[in-house]
C-alpha cells in the first residue's frame, strides 16, 4: 500500500454566509511530496487541512486516505511565560517526528519557533519520506521545504509545481498572459460587434428606396435591388453575429482590489540620534541578558533583535523603547522623540475599547473617514465604533498595522509583528517598513522580513553578537 491522500471535488460551505468557502477542490498528496497551502486569512486553508485530516466532514466530495496521518493544529497560544509557546510547539513537533506517520498535515508549524527551531523543522521535513501538506506564512520556510504550492483563492485551489518563489512567479506570469489574451479577445469581440452594427445598419438602409423617383416598372426594379442588397447585408450581419456567438473569450484573471497600501510618515524628521544606550545592563528573571553594552540607533536605521526563545528579546526591546528601566546604565531618547510600540499581545491603549479609540491613541486628530481609510488599507475595514473585543487574532494584527500607519512616530518598535498575518499582509508591512523614513526596532523570526528591510541584527544568547 502506497501512502497517499486524495481530495476529490471537495467543497465546504461558508458557516456564516450562503456561499461556498471552497468548492471542487482536487488534491493529490503522495509520499515525498511537500505541498505548501497558501492563501489569505479566511480563505479556508485551516478548514481544508481539517477536512484532509478527517477532523471535519466536507459538504461535498470525498477524501481518500491511505496510511497513517500525523496532525498538527494551530497553537496561536500567546499566554504563559516568554518562550513557553515555542517550547510547546517543539514538543508537539517532536512527538510527530517520533510517531513517523505516512502523511503529515501541519497547520502553522512555525508559530513561536525561534531560528534554531525553524532550522530543525526545515531539516526534518526535507528529510522525511512522508507526504506533507502544510499551512504557513513564513516565506523563507516555504521556500526551503515546498516541492509544490497550492493557492487557495476565491474558493478554488490552483496547484503550481516547484518552490514557493518559482511557483508565485509562474502564477503571476500566467495571470499576466491570461490578462493579455482576455484583452485581445475582448478587442476582437468589440471589432466584430462594430462590424455587425455597421452591416445591420447598411442592411436596414438598403431596404429603403425613394419611391417618388421611380414609377411603374422602374419602381419594381429599384425595390427588388434594394431588397436584394438588404438581404445580402443582413446575411453578412448574421454571419458576424454567429462568429461573435462562437468566439471564446479568455476568462479575465481575478483583479485583487484589496491590495494593502500602508504608509507611515513622521510629520517631522525628529532627532538624528534616536536611541542612545551607554553601559547598558538588562536582567530578566534573575538572568543577565546584556551587560555593559553601548548602542546608538540613528534616524532611518533598522535594528532587529534575534535569538532563541526566552533569551530576553522582548525585555531588551522594552528597555530600549523606554517601557521598562535597565538594571544598570542608561537609555536616552533623542529630544522630542515620538515612539509607536506594537507588542506581541496587542495590548490596547488605556481606555481604548473601540477601533476608533485605538487609532486615535496613535494620532488624536483622526476623523471617522481617516479611520475607515486606514482600516481598509490594512485589510480590515471597520467603523470607528466597532468594539475591539469583536476582532479575531488576524484582524487585531492587521489593525496593529493600521496603528503603525496612523502614527507620526519617529521610532517604530515592533515585537513579532507578523504573528497571525497572511503573506499579503506581511508583504504590506514589509513595504511600509522599507519606505518608512524613521528608525525601526524589531523582534521577529521572519528572516525574509528582516533581510528585506535591511536591518542590522543583534543576536541574543550566551553572548550578544552584532551581525551585519
Amino acid at each position: 500500500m502506497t501512502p497517499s491522500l486524495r481530495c476529490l471535488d471537495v467543497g465546504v460551505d461558508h458557516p456564516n454566509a450562503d456561499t461556498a468557502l471552497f468548492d471542487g477542490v482536487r488534491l493529490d498528496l503522495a509520499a515525498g511530496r511537500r505541498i505548501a497551502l497558501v492563501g489569505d486569512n479566511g480563505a479556508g486553508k485551516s478548514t481544508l487541512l481539517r477536512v484532509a485530516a478527517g477532523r471535519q466532514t466536507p459538504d461535498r466530495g470525498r477524501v481518500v486516505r491511505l496510511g497513517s496521518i500525523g496532525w498538527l493544529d494551530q497553537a496561536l497560544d500567546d499566554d504563559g511565560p516568554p518562550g513557553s509557546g515555542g517550547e510547546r510547539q517543539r514538543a508537539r513537533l517532536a512527538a510527530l517526528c517520533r510517531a513517523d506517520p505516512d502523511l503529515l498535515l501541519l497547520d502553522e508549524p512555525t508559530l513561536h519557533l525561534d531560528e534554531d527551531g525553524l532550522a530543525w523543522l526545515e531539516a526534518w521535513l526535507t528529510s522525511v519520506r512522508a507526504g506533507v501538506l502544510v499551512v504557513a506564512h513564513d516565506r523563507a520556510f516555504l521556500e526551503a521545504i515546498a516541492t509544490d504550492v497550492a493557492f487557495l483563492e476565491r474558493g478554488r485551489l490552483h496547484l503550481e509545481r516547484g518552490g514557493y518563489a518559482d511557483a508565485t512567479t509562474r502564477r503571476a506570469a500566467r495571470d499576466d498572459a491570461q490578462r493579455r489574451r482576455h484583452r485581445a479577445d475582448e478587442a476582437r469581440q468589440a471589432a466584430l460587434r462594430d462590424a455587425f452594427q455597421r452591416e445591420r445598419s447598411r442592411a436596414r438602409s438598403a431596404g429603403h428606396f425613394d419611391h417618388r423617383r421611380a414609377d411603374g416598372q422602374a419602381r419594381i426594379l429599384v425595390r427588388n435591388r434594394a431588397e436584394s442588397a438588404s438581404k445580402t447585408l443582413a446575411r453578412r450581419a448574421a454571419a458576424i453575429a454567429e462568429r461573435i456567438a462562437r468566439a471564446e473569450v479568455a476568462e479575465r484573471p481575478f483583479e485583487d482590489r484589496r491590495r494593502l497600501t500602508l504608509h507611515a510618515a513622521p510629520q517631522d524628521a525628529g532627532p538624528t540620534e534616536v536611541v542612545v544606550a551607554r553601559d547598558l545592563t538588562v536582567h530578566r528573571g534573575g538572568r543577565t541578558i546584556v551587560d555593559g553594552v553601548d548602542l546608538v540607533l540613528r534616524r532611518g536605521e533598522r535594528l532587529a533583535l534575534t535569538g532563541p526563545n526566552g533569551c530576553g528579546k522582548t525585555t531588551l526591546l522594552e528597555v530600549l523603547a523606554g517601557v521598562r528601566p535597565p538594571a544598570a546604565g542608561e537609555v536616552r531618547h533623542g529630544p522630542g522623540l515620538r515612539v509607536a510600540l506594537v507588542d506581541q499581545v496587542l495590548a490596547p491603549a488605556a481606555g481604548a475599547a473601540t477601533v476608533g479609540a485605538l487609532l486615535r491613541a496613535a494620532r488624536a486628530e483622526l476623523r471617522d473617514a481617516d479611520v475607515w481609510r486606514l482600516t481598509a488599507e490594512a485589510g480590515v475595514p471597520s467603523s470607528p465604533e466597532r468594539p475591539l473585543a469583536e476582532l479575531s487574532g488576524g484582524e487585531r494584527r492587521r489593525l496593529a498595522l493600521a496603528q503603525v500607519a496612523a502614527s507620526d512616530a519617529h521610532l517604530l518598535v515592533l515585537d513579532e509583528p507578523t504573528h497571525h498575518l497572511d503573506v499579503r499582509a506581511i508583504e504590506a508591512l514589509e513595504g511600509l517598513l522599507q519606505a518608512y523614513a524613521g528608525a525601526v526596532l524589531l523582534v521577529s523570526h521572519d528572516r525574509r522580513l528582516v533581510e528585506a528591510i535591511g536591518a542590522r541584527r543583534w543576536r541574543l544568547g550566551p553572548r550578544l553578537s552584532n551581525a551585519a
Side-chain angles (χ1 to χ4, degrees), residues 189-205 233-234 236-238 240-241 244:
Q189 286 287 84
L192 286 172
R193 287 192 293 268
D194 288 344
F196 170 76
Q197 293 295 342
R198 286 195 304 271
E199 295 301 306
R200 188 172 66 172
S201 177
R202 290 175 62 192
R204 289 173 176 172
S205 297
L233 293 170
R236 290 180 184 174
I240 293 173
I244 292 173

Side-chain angles (χ1 to χ4, degrees), residues 83 85-87 89-90 109-121 138 306-311 313 416 444-445 447 459:
E87 292 165 4
Q89 188 77 331
R90 287 195 68 160
T110 64
L111 276 181
H112 306 293
L113 294 185
D114 55 23
E115 294 174 12
D116 293 339
L118 286 169
W120 172 84
L121 178 61
D138 186 316
T306 66
N309 288 334
C311 68
K313 299 185 296 295
E416 293 292 359
S444 179
H445 295 308
R447 296 156 289 178
R459 178 175 172 81

Side-chain angles (χ1 to χ4, degrees), residues 138-211:
D138 186 316
R139 294 163 294 173
F141 168 76
L142 295 177
E143 180 64 23
I145 65 103
T147 61
D148 307 89
V149 180
F151 297 90
L152 188 58
E153 300 169 326
R154 305 182 319 281
R156 298 292 178 182
L157 192 74
H158 307 275
L159 188 72
E160 290 283 350
R161 298 284 186 176
Y164 177 76
D166 287 345
T168 52
T169 299
R170 281 199 306 274
R171 181 152 182 75
R174 289 182 184 181
D175 281 350
D176 287 342
Q178 186 172 342
R179 191 173 293 108
R180 290 193 296 271
R181 288 196 300 272
H182 172 79
R183 289 171 180 167
D185 290 348
E186 282 285 293
R188 283 193 291 271
Q189 286 287 84
L192 286 172
R193 287 192 293 268
D194 288 344
F196 170 76
Q197 293 295 342
R198 286 195 304 271
E199 295 301 306
R200 188 172 66 172
S201 177
R202 290 175 62 192
R204 289 173 176 172
S205 297
H208 296 84
F209 64 96
D210 191 348
H211 62 85

Side-chain angles (χ1 to χ4, degrees), residues 45-83:
K45 302 185 299 297
S46 294
T47 301
L48 179 55
L49 209 63
R50 287 195 299 271
V51 168
R55 303 296 178 107
Q56 180 174 335
T57 303
D59 294 304
R60 290 168 296 284
R62 62 194 180 98
V63 180
V64 178
R65 306 173 193 86
L66 297 175
S68 58
I69 301 287
W71 163 252
L72 181 84
D73 60 0
Q74 285 195 38
L76 297 185
D77 180 9
D78 292 319
D79 297 329

